[in-house]
Amino acid sequence: MPEIRETKLPGVGIEFEMSCEAGERVGVISRHSGRREVVLYDEDDPDAVAARIELTQAESAAMAELLGGTRITAQLAALSAEIEGLFIDWLPLPPEFTPITIADTEMRTRTGSSVIAIMRDGTAVPAPGPEDEMLAGDTVVLVGTKDGIVAAAELLGASAG
Amino acid sequence: MTALAGVVPTILAAGGEGVARTLLEIGGVLLALGLMARLANRIGLSPIPLFLMTGLLLRDGGLFDLTATDEFIEVGAEIGVVLLLLMLGLEYTPQELMGALRASAGAGAVDLVLNFLPGLAFGLVLGWSPLAAVFLGGITYISSSGIIAKVLGDLGRLGNRETPTVLAILVIEDLVMAVYLPIVAGLAVGGAFSSMVIGVVVAMAVVALALFLSVRHTDVLGRLIFARSNEVLLFSILGLALVIAGAAEALQVSAAVGAFLVGIAVSGPSAHRGAELLAPLRDLFAGVFFVFFTFTIEPSAILRALPIALALAVVTAATKMFTGWWAANRAGIGVRGRVRAGTVLVARGEFSIVIATLATTNAVEPDIGALATAYVLILAVVGPVLTRYADPLTMRFAGSRTRTGSA
């Protein structure tokens, strides 16, 4: 989690700010009125705002959804329209992931979710069997209930957003 | 407006009297203010100087002859002052007040000394009474939080590093007003020395108590008047402010001070939503207040006051710019940010006029209204323009030095 700096703006609201890995600094001004401003600092003059976007409360909620890795919500919204209660999610495995076979995770018994595909180096292993291994850097495709997918993500130590 | 000039007499000639005339006049004034506000938006300026000009055009002996609306405009102006002060108190949370004081007390002190003294000195040099000079000191000291907050928002500078420093200075100025206004109001009422001292002491004690209650104790008044319904909250908060303002006026403490106290004593959700509900009302009646204020001034007196106002404006623009520069420098801001902080503080506006009104209604100094008008006319325009071009100006005068310094 990057470090977030907080500055009080008396009479206006609060500003939160963080530095990105690439060097840019980005801030969010949260006004008392509920409006938000996303600001990007000037590389030339670090005290000044170079660009900004003003968002209403609803727009900032939508923006947070888009940014917040809630892939579940976005994809599931489309899918659940077809099959009630069934969800699919793409789960990238972290680099420090320890290889494990699907059988060893006991995923289906413990979470009710199933791995329906493993994507590795641009190719997919569709319908993997219990003996198939998941490796660090793979993306696994899960199917299950919404809660089941979240539980499976926790089991694999990946973030389901 | 020229169209109105032709229409109004025609309609009146058709037999409109009484109510009809009053409605026409109030509507005409509001339409004129609307036009001015539209023009101000178009050219990116504060509407305050244009509202003052409107008043000068509309006053008796000006372009039109407003007679039916005297009472409405007079009362409306009073309500405008009450709303300006009430909102000032409502806009800050106690935490913001204390935070600003802790973080920027030094900058606040520099601001007070550098910008109060020029006004005081000018007043004394002009041969005014010491009390009138103290009023002029207040007029030159108080920047316009309204204009400055709007300029910062419009220019997208709310996220800038120097902005917290600027805002903290504004908060401290407003806090100083809480103490300054009751003192000068008490002094202006005059009377026997002992009663004057008692009045000032009582007023200060009440201000201190309101500040203390607001900061130390939970929001008693706010919870008393809190209501989910906007309607209930609006009536409660406005009613309370007017009642307290009226009571303060009856006790010769000045209605403005009473309203400010109500604003400070109410915090939490009531203050938040109350401020939102009252903002359009404040805009409406503050506009009427500016118009009415200029009714009390002879346009020729403004012309006479112009040279002094210009000199005062130049001196105090410089001292404000130094104040901002100094404070931003202490906060570790680069050269360009320091210039921005300095220039944004230059604008004077609504509260300089409120102080001038206090001086005029108490007959402290006959020339103070005209001088304050000319002064605000100049700085309410120059301030925002200066700050808009702060960056190019810095680049021009400091050149490459700033670029390498901030890279």
Side-chain angles (χ1 to χ4, degrees):
Chain A
M1 176 104 177
E3 191 189 325
I4 294 180
R5 240 177 50 167
E6 183 186 320
T7 315
K8 298 232 165 28
L9 300 176
V12 177
I14 306 179
E15 199 225 338
F16 303 96
E17 183 204 322
M18 65 176 200
S19 296
C20 305
E21 242 174 65
E24 295 96 345
R25 283 176 317 131
V26 62
V28 172
I29 299 167
S30 172
R31 296 218 210 177
H32 289 326
S33 62
R35 287 183 82 84
R36 304 272 193 281
E37 230 175 87
V38 180
V39 297
L40 201 62
Y41 287 92
D42 196 340
E43 288 183 32
D44 206 35
D45 176 0
D47 301 322
V49 166
R52 65 181 181 128
I53 312 165
E54 254 193 82
L55 301 171
T56 64
Q57 222 155 1
E59 286 160 355
S60 30
M63 187 61 90
E65 290 266 296
L66 293 176
L67 291 173
T70 41
R71 281 160 301 126
I72 298 196
T73 341
Q75 284 155 359
L76 303 186
L79 192 74
S80 53
E82 293 164 35
I83 311 154
E84 197 63 43
L86 181 64
F87 297 101
I88 293 183
D89 195 24
W90 280 253
L91 208 68
L93 299 180
E96 64 274 11
F97 186 77
T98 325
I100 187 168
T101 64
I102 292 174
D104 285 345
T105 59
E106 296 176 1
M107 184 181 293
R108 197 171 309 177
T109 19
R110 288 167 69 180
T111 70
S113 309
S114 307
V115 176
I116 55 170
I118 302 172
M119 331 257 254
R120 182 175 302 149
D121 303 327
T123 58
V125 183
E131 70 292 344
D132 274 320
E133 260 197 330
M134 294 176 284
L135 307 177
D138 287 357
T139 298
V140 287
V141 184
L142 294 165
V143 64
T145 61
K146 193 170 182 175
D147 291 343
I149 287 182
V150 171
E154 271 168 22
L155 184 71
L156 294 176
S159 59
Chain B
M1 238 159 62
T2 38
L4 262 179
V7 171
V8 173
T10 322
I11 297 179
L12 290 180
E17 271 304 327
V19 175
R21 192 180 169 102
T22 307
L23 291 179
L24 281 167
E25 284 189 11
I26 294 175
V29 170
L30 295 184
L31 275 176
L33 290 179
L35 272 175
M36 287 301 179
R38 185 183 292 257
L39 181 64
N41 277 337
R42 179 76 46 87
I43 55 180
L45 279 183
S46 154
I48 291 175
L50 293 177
F51 285 178
L52 292 174
M53 300 292 286
T54 312
L56 289 173
L57 291 175
L58 293 180
R59 67 196 302 283
D60 292 346
L63 280 183
F64 304 100
D65 194 18
L66 297 179
T67 49
T69 45
D70 281 357
E71 204 171 326
F72 169 81
I73 290 191
E74 203 176 326
V75 175
E78 274 298 328
I79 296 178
V81 175
V82 166
L83 283 171
L84 276 170
L85 270 295
L86 172 66
M87 292 280 290
L88 191 62
L90 284 179
E91 260 161 21
Y92 303 119
T93 66
Q95 291 76 23
E96 287 173 343
L97 291 178
M98 294 324 285
L101 254 189
R102 259 198 300 275
S104 305
V110 168
D111 181 34
L112 178 60
V113 171
L114 280 185
N115 297 292
F116 188 86
L117 288 183
L120 186 75
F122 263 75
L124 293 176
V125 168
L126 287 171
W128 291 2
S129 68
L131 179 59
V134 167
F135 271 96
L136 192 57
I139 291 170
T140 59
Y141 164 64
I142 185 90
S143 311
S144 168
S145 354
I147 296 180
I148 293 170
K150 184 159 189 318
V151 165
L152 287 174
D154 288 350
L155 295 180
R157 292 209 190 139
L158 284 176
N160 279 18
R161 297 269 177 272
E162 74 274 8
T163 297
T165 307
V166 170
L167 292 176
I169 289 178
L170 294 181
V171 175
I172 293 174
E173 286 186 2
D174 293 343
L175 261 178
V176 169
M177 278 297 112
V179 180
Y180 171 88
L181 283 176
I183 294 179
V184 292
L187 292 176
V189 169
F193 183 73
S194 56
S195 69
M196 226 156 71
V197 170
I198 290 172
V200 168
V201 168
V202 168
M204 300 253 334
V206 176
V207 170
L209 186 69
L211 279 172
F212 176 78
L213 286 178
S214 148
V215 172
R216 273 298 129 110
H217 289 274
T218 39
D219 172 29
V220 182
L221 196 55
R223 269 179 299 168
L224 269 177
I225 59 168
F226 180 78
R228 280 183 207 294
S229 150
N230 282 346
E231 196 180 26
V232 177
L233 185 62
L234 177 65
F235 285 132
S236 311
I237 202 161
L238 183 58
L240 186 67
L242 289 175
V243 164
I244 300 287
E249 187 74 34
L251 297 172
Q252 301 203 318
V253 185
S254 148
V257 176
F260 186 69
L261 288 179
V262 173
I264 286 190
V266 175
S267 54
S270 303
H272 244 272
R273 216 148 43 83
E276 270 168 47
L277 292 172
L278 289 170
L281 274 184
R282 189 247 339 244
D283 293 345
L284 172 66
F285 286 105
V288 173
F289 162 66
F290 289 122
V291 167
F292 177 72
F293 174 71
T294 53
F295 283 3
T296 62
I297 293 159
E298 198 59 50
S300 57
I302 295 179
L303 282 180
R304 277 199 306 279
L306 209 52
I308 297 169
L310 258 175
L312 197 56
V314 169
V315 172
T316 56
T319 51
K320 275 288 179 195
M321 281 173 71
F322 179 81
T323 304
W325 170 282
W326 186 85
N329 187 24
R330 254 188 17 150
I333 307 293
V335 171
R336 285 202 260 165
R338 285 177 230 162
V339 175
R340 285 193 298 264
T343 49
V344 79
L345 285 173
V346 168
R348 312 297 205 284
E350 62 280 20
F351 286 101
S352 301
I353 299 289
V354 170
I355 295 171
T357 314
L358 210 53
T360 313
T361 49
N362 290 298
V364 171
E365 166 60 50
D367 293 339
I368 204 164
L371 181 57
T373 309
Y375 180 73
V376 168
L377 277 175
I378 295 167
L379 287 184
V381 174
V382 168
V385 171
L386 255 185
T387 196
R388 183 162 303 228
Y389 296 105
D391 277 345
L393 280 175
T394 317
M395 302 294 266
R396 176 133 186 206
F397 288 108
S400 54
R401 215 153 36 85
T402 47
R403 280 197 97 82
T404 49
S406 61

